[in-house]
Amino acid sequence: MFALPEALVATRDFVERGGPVIPVIIAVTFLMWVLIIERYWYLRTGHQRAVAEALATWRSRSETASWHAHQIRNMLVSRVSARLGTTVPLIKTFVALCPLLGLLGTVTGMVEVFDVMAVAGTGNPRAMASGVSYATIPTMAGMVAALSGLVFSVQLERRARRERDRIADLLSPQRG
């Protein structure tokens, strides 16, 4: 098991070997995970309050079968649904951005390799190694970040869809 100083040194080395794109990938990944955690927190706390408010509003109505009542029901379902998916599009954007940043790192690394080849020639593999590292590490980092975010963004979308259907069922005229 790594001690904390060893882990920090390993992280620093990883960032240095990956080039200037790695800090950007780390920042985007951090923001993506803050939003993912916020959505799960909202689902555990704020969403329950929003559902309770919508149910209270619906149950306070004297009639629930008219066209007007149906429109109010649709509005309540839409409000709760809109709150469910507030940051999901931004999470999906960050998921899509991570591999693109990795690709940018790949291109940057390949430019480094070509610069070394232009100066030192093709006979010095050690001189080209840092450029190859710059080219492969950001790609890997971007893909890992995107895959981790993709799994959770899909889960959040599914959960939002299930909750939307559940709320629509709870606010049905038969229950009013």
Side-chain angles (χ1 to χ4, degrees), residues 19-133:
V21 176
I22 292 291
V24 177
I25 292 172
I26 290 170
V28 167
T29 303
F30 177 77
L31 290 173
M32 176 181 69
W33 275 99
V34 165
L35 293 175
I36 289 170
I37 291 168
E38 182 275 331
R39 279 293 88 189
Y40 278 107
W41 182 260
Y42 174 78
L43 285 168
R44 285 192 75 104
T45 59
H47 177 64
Q48 304 308 321
R49 284 192 299 270
V51 170
E53 289 171 10
L55 277 173
T57 301
W58 180 249
R59 290 182 177 155
S60 69
R61 294 193 48 80
S62 59
E63 64 86 24
T64 59
S66 69
W67 178 87
H68 185 67
H70 183 70
Q71 297 306 312
I72 290 173
R73 176 187 172 272
N74 288 344
M75 179 210 45
L76 292 170
V77 171
S78 293
R79 278 187 187 167
V80 175
S81 296
R83 290 183 198 161
L84 275 172
T86 301
T87 58
V88 173
L90 189 55
I91 292 168
K92 290 172 68 176
T93 300
F94 286 151
V95 167
L97 187 61
C98 285
L100 295 175
L101 289 170
L103 182 61
L104 177 64
T106 300
V107 171
T108 305
M110 293 311 293
V111 167
E112 177 95 10
V113 170
F114 293 141
D115 283 346
V116 168
M117 288 172 59
V119 172
T122 59
N124 189 351
R126 282 195 176 159
M128 291 189 296
S130 69
V132 171
S133 176

